[in-house]
Amino acid sequence: MTRDELLATHSSEVYGNPRWVVETDVVDDGERLTNFADRSVDFVVANHMLEHTEDPILALSHLLRTLRPGGVLYLTLPDARQTFDASRPRTSVDHLAQDHGVGPEWSRQQHYREWAQVECLAEAEIERRIAEFAERQTRHHFHVWELDGFLEFVLSLRLDAGVELAQTHLDEFAVILRRHR
């Protein structure tokens, strides 16, 4: 979304003084990056983005596709232990493989249910809220990780990239991947 769209749809409580929100250069689907050619950039930042994707395997493949050999992918994700996701089950490698293999439709309703439960709704309200999420195609946190589980996932993919750094900090963790030369 553009800078103007972002500021129009989010309150000043979220961004405070909007002067620090920079102008948007490119608006693209972060899961596919269709505006970027293969091996066309040196650095990609996916800041608190991957947990919102329904198919993180597909998203990672496109993020890495755009990198030149030696390029860096900088990922940050919320550490589930430190967020509102703390009570949710952690996303397993098998779950992610199924989302990628058969499509994320099989798990979408369960993710919406978990989110409705995070909102501490009465049981009678949960089904209504799930229907509302589905109608709006809400993009809450589909996937929930702690650093160790996320690294297990990344390493299971045998990507054309190596892990350069993986560390937690406060309520998030960062992983830096460098595409092989």
Side-chain angles (χ1 to χ4, degrees), residues 42-109:
D42 293 314
F43 196 75
V44 174
V45 176
N47 185 34
H48 287 256
M49 172 266 209
L50 204 60
E51 66 275 12
H52 295 276
T53 66
E54 290 191 276
D55 185 350
I57 295 172
L58 179 69
L60 276 173
S61 71
H62 284 290
L63 293 167
L64 289 169
R65 170 191 62 75
T66 66
L67 287 175
R68 292 182 182 108
V72 169
L73 171 57
Y74 178 84
L75 299 161
T76 58
L77 297 101
D79 182 335
R81 296 170 299 181
Q82 307 300 324
T83 70
F84 44 77
D85 287 324
S87 65
R88 293 180 61 194
R90 304 312 183 247
T91 305
S92 70
V93 172
D94 290 341
H95 175 108
L96 295 160
Q98 192 166 354
D99 278 350
H100 184 66
V102 301
E105 297 79 17
W106 79 274
S107 63
R108 188 176 296 134
Q109 293 296 313

Side-chain angles (χ1 to χ4, degrees), residues 145-170:
W145 292 286
E146 295 172 23
L147 178 57
D148 290 347
F150 185 76
L151 286 175
E152 177 187 3
F153 160 56
V154 167
L155 294 173
S156 77
L157 297 176
R158 293 179 163 60
L159 300 169
D160 184 25
V163 176
E164 294 233 334
L165 174 83
Q167 74 178 45
T168 59
H169 178 71
L170 301 175

Side-chain angles (χ1 to χ4, degrees), residues 100-141:
H100 184 66
V102 301
E105 297 79 17
W106 79 274
S107 63
R108 188 176 296 134
Q109 293 296 313
Q110 181 57 37
H111 292 298
Y112 287 160
R113 176 173 300 286
E114 290 171 12
W115 187 260
Q117 291 167 335
V118 164
E119 291 183 342
C120 299
L121 297 174
E123 193 61 37
E125 290 293 306
I126 288 178
E127 292 306 318
R128 178 197 59 75
R129 191 69 165 139
I130 291 169
E132 185 178 296
F133 292 155
E135 181 181 326
R136 291 181 180 173
Q137 298 180 339
T138 304
R139 306 288 289 188
H140 295 304
H141 293 179

